Structures are given as structure tokens and as C-alpha cells.
């Protein structure tokens, strides 16, 4: 089994910031990422609250800068999904599909996963027309896209996609729950239609290309056709790979200074890049002190 000093699970802003700060202390962490470095930030249309960018910065551009900085520091990312973690004999065993690693310090920076559309049956032929992140539609142009949701992500996705597509937001609530400035921008965008108190009750594959959504609304039953459906109805912490037994040990391990949960995975509704980055730097500073103490 490979032995590491520090393992970071997740290469989003939180994991990357931890690695960058650890490098400053001469510590080389192993970062394990199942998809792509940058995490959820790939989906952000315009980040306007990250200091240093007076005119805002797109999520993908900010990811590019993070990864360039990591590259300059020789921080590599191992592509794999962590599927299990155990704490035995004073250290962690981190399991991926092909490898197992032992480490004395573990950082869990796995962010969130989308809430799934469980109340609807998605016909097999429509599955590739439905997604949960705007990243999956980044190449799509000239399409008609429906977005389910009424919060920041739904409106941010709509503004992003409306540059090259026609977008309809279907919100089952009776008002938008997004930042007022996103709402104002969406109202001004000619390519965005907003429907509230509109609940999708059926997804149908009919004779037309794309998918049909049967909806209930105050105006009665409605049907919408779209080329794609993007679901943005909430996110929950990504902790599926940790067992109940491990989660029960977690608080004690955090108190010992060997386990860190950082960024969106633990920040509830306060999910922002700068908070995730701050968590990462703080964790790295604590890890450095801990490793010095036990050396
Ligand atoms: C539409 C949208 C707009 C946004 N706009 C802004 C904004 O304007 N300003 C702002 O500050 N923030 C914004 N955010 C939020 C920002 O993207 C997040 O707060 C930030 O990405 C959180 O970083 P993180 O590292 O905690 O988690 P994430 O970015 O979610 O990264 C977690 C990483 O862990 C990986 N992972 C998960 N499980 C495993 C596993 N088992 N094994 C290996 N890897 C795993 C994931 O693949 C992912 O790459 C926006 C988000 C969205 C969706």
C-alpha cells in the first residue's frame, strides 16, 4: 500500500488551496480527484465576489488560474474516485477503484452533489438530454433549454446559456429565490423566459426531437418542448463514499487534528469560492503545525 503524509480528496477550490498552502511548507500532498480539477467552479458564469478581479471573472477562467498556479508549484492531481475510507491503527486507509493509500492526515474537500429528480421517471432515450451541471452543455448552441429550479444556480445557468441558446426557467415555487442582481439580469435578457408555480409532472419522449415536459401551473396543464433539461433543484454534501462508522469517528478525528472537512462539503448554505479557499489555507496551516508537533 502506498504511504502518503497528507491526502486531499477533491481538487475544487478548497482542495487546491490546501495543496498550494501545504507546498509553501514543503509538504507534498496527494490530491485525488474523480472528475476535473476546479470542481463546481467550472459552472460559475461570472464570479464577482472573489477579490482581485474588479470586473469579475468567469468560473472556467478562475479555474485556469488556480490550475496554472498549482502547475507552477508542481502540484499534480491523481485521477481517481475515492470509494472508501477507514481509520485503523492510527492512520487512514483511502481506497480508490485500483489503489489503496495510507496517510496520517486526510482532507475531505469533496464539495456537493446535485439533488436528483427522483419524483419523475426519465425514459431511457431522454437520459442524455438531461443534466445537472451547465458544464455538460458548454458546447451547445442554438438550442432550446429548460432549467428546473428557482435559486442562484438556476438563474446563473440561465444567464450563461442564454448567450447562445433560448432558455426557459421552470420554477415550482411562487417567486425566484436567487440574488436580486441575477433576477434583474434575467429579466433583461431577451432569451430567457421565466415561469413560476410551474411543476414538471412528466417527462415524455414524443415524436418531436428533444424532450417534452408535462407541467402543472396556475394556468392549468402545460406542455413544454426542449432540446435539453438542466436540473438545478439544490445540492447536498458529497459524503457518499464515507461509511456511517467512519462518520461517527469523524468529530474525534477532527479534534485530534488528523481529519479536515473543508469547503462546500461542510459549509451548508454558505457555499462560496472564497470561503472554500479560506478553509483550505486554514486547514493547511493547522496540518503544518500538527506534522511539526509529531515529528
Ligand atoms: C452556477 C454556480 C455559480 C457559482 N457562482 C459563484 C460565485 O459567483 N462566487 C463564488 O464564490 N462561488 C460561486 N459558486 C460556488 C463555488 O463554485 C463553490 O463554492 C466552490 O466550487 C466550492 O469549492 P469546493 O472545493 O469546496 O467544492 P467543489 O468545487 O464542489 O469541488 C469538490 C471536488 O471534489 C471532487 N470529488 C467529490 N467526490 C469525490 C470522490 N469520492 N473522490 C474524488 N474526488 C471527489 C469533485 O469531483 C470536485 O471536483 C457557484 C457555483 C455554481 C454551481
Amino acid at each position: 500500500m502506498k504511504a502518503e503524509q497528507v491526502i486531499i480528496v477533491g481538487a475544487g477550490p478548497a482542495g487546491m488551496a490546501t495543496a498550494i498552502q501545504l507546498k509553501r511548507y514543503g509538504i507534498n500532498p496527494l490530491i485525488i480527484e474523480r472528475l476535473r480539477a476546479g470542481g463546481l467552479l467550472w459552472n460559475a458564469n461570472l464570479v464577482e465576489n472573489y477579490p482581485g478581479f474588479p470586473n469579475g471573472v468567469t468560473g472556467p477562467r478562475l479555474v485556469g488560474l488556480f490550475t496554472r498556479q498549482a502547475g507552477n508549484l508542481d502540484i499534480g492531481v491523481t485521477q481517481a474516485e475515492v470509494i472508501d475510507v477507514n481509520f485503523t491503527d492510527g492512520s487512514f486507509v483511502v481506497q480508490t477503484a485500483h489503489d489503496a493509500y495510507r496517510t496520517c492526515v486526510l482532507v475531505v474537500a469533496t464539495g456537493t452533489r446535485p439533488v436528483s429528480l427522483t419524483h419523475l421517471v426519465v425514459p431511457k432515450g431522454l437520459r442524455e438530454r438531461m443534466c445537472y451541471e451547465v458544464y455538460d452543455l458548454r458546447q451547445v448552441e442554438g438550442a432550446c433549454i429548460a432549467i428546473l429550479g428557482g435559486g442562484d444556480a438556476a438563474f446563473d445557468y440561465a444567464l450563461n446559456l442564454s448567450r447562445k441558446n433560448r432558455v426557459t426557467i421552470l420554477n415550482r415555487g411562487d417567486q425566484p429565490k436567487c440574488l436580486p442582481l441575477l433576477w434583474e439580469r434575467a429579466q433583461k435578457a431577451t432569451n430567457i423566459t421565466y415561469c413560476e408555480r410551474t411543476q414538471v409532472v412528466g417527462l415524455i419522449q414524443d415524436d418531436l426531437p428533444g424532450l417534452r415536459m408535462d407541467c402543472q401551473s396556475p394556468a392549468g396543464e402545460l406542455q413544454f418542448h426542449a432540446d435539453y433539461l438542466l436540473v438545478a433543484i439544490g445540492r447536498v454534501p458529497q459524503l457518499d463514499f464515507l461509511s456511517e462508522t467512519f462518520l461517527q469517528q469523524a468529530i474525534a478525528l477532527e479534534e485530534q487534528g488528523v481529519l479536515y472537512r473543508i469547503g462546500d462539503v461542510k459549509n451548508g448554505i454558505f457555499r462560496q469560492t472564497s470561503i472554500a479557499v479560506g478553509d483550505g489555507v486554514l486547514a493547511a496551516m493547522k496540518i503544518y503545525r500538527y506534522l511539526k508537533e509529531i515529528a
Side-chain angles (χ1 to χ4, degrees):
M1 193 182 307
K2 297 169 193 172
E4 302 288 338
Q5 209 174 10
V6 180
I7 289 183
I8 301 168
V9 189
M16 301 271 272
T18 312
I20 289 169
Q21 182 69 16
L22 284 174
K23 269 284 181 174
R24 291 167 64 83
Y25 300 120
I27 300 166
N28 289 313
L30 174 75
I31 313 182
I32 307 179
E33 166 58 49
R34 66 172 179 177
L35 283 175
R36 62 194 85 86
L40 197 60
L41 193 53
W42 276 107
N43 292 279
N45 182 39
L46 188 62
V47 178
E48 293 171 290
N49 58 348
Y50 194 81
F53 298 91
N55 301 315
V57 57
T58 67
R61 180 160 145 66
L62 191 52
V63 169
L65 292 168
F66 283 178
T67 45
R68 208 164 90 204
Q69 190 171 357
N72 289 346
L73 294 168
D74 279 333
I75 295 168
V77 174
T78 297
Q79 195 77 41
E81 176 164 7
V82 172
I83 52 176
D84 194 22
V85 177
N86 285 298
F87 187 75
T88 49
D89 303 327
S91 61
F92 297 91
V93 176
V94 176
Q95 188 73 50
T96 67
H98 300 292
D99 290 297
Y101 304 86
R102 205 170 256 287
T103 183
C104 46
V105 176
L106 179 70
V107 179
V108 176
T110 46
T112 52
R113 64 178 164 79
V115 172
S116 307
L117 249 198
T118 44
H119 71 287
L120 292 178
V121 177
V122 185
K124 225 177 174 180
L126 293 185
R127 283 186 197 151
E128 76 275 12
R129 301 223 160 238
M130 198 177 118
C131 60
Y132 288 90
E133 290 192 9
V134 80
Y135 181 87
D136 298 325
L137 300 177
R138 67 197 180 284
Q139 312 285 15
V140 174
E141 288 184 26
C144 174
I145 300 171
I147 298 178
L148 287 199
D152 287 340
F155 279 84
D156 198 78
Y157 288 159
L159 289 164
N160 193 340
L161 291 166
S162 69
R163 282 192 214 107
K164 294 182 181 166
N165 303 279
R166 276 180 300 121
V167 179
T168 303
I169 302 174
L170 301 173
N171 180 9
R172 71 172 185 183
D174 56 9
Q175 55 186 327
K177 281 197 183 150
C178 63
L179 282 175
L181 70 90
L182 294 179
W183 171 233
E184 280 161 28
R185 288 174 191 168
Q187 279 177 301
K188 283 185 194 147
T190 47
N191 275 353
I192 300 178
T193 306
Y194 170 72
C195 307
E196 60 194 15
R197 289 191 286 160
T198 304
Q199 170 131 26
V200 178
V201 290
L203 287 177
I204 315 290
Q205 187 168 24
D206 62 12
D207 297 338
L208 293 170
L211 43 81
R212 188 182 96 202
M213 284 153 289
D214 290 350
C215 303
Q216 279 169 356
S217 80
E221 290 181 7
L222 296 175
Q223 286 184 355
F224 288 94
H225 270 95
D227 297 303
Y228 297 97
L229 173 64
L230 174 54
V231 182
I233 55 172
R235 301 191 67 90
V236 290
Q238 176 60 275
L239 289 168
D240 297 3
F241 63 104
L242 297 176
S243 66
E244 269 309 310
T245 318
F246 184 84
L247 287 170
Q248 278 164 16
Q249 292 171 290
I251 291 173
L253 294 169
E254 282 173 328
E255 280 167 5
Q256 282 174 44
V258 292
L259 175 67
Y260 297 82
R261 278 178 284 188
I262 59 167
D264 280 13
V265 75
K266 72 122 180 58
N267 287 335
I269 58 164
F270 305 107
R271 302 195 299 265
Q272 294 293 306
T273 306
S274 45
I275 301 176
V277 163
D279 282 356
V281 174
L282 179 62
M285 293 179 79
K286 289 182 177 172
I287 291 168
Y288 171 63
R289 289 167 72 99
Y290 171 78
L291 291 175
K292 229 166 97 172
E293 256 171 49
I294 59 161

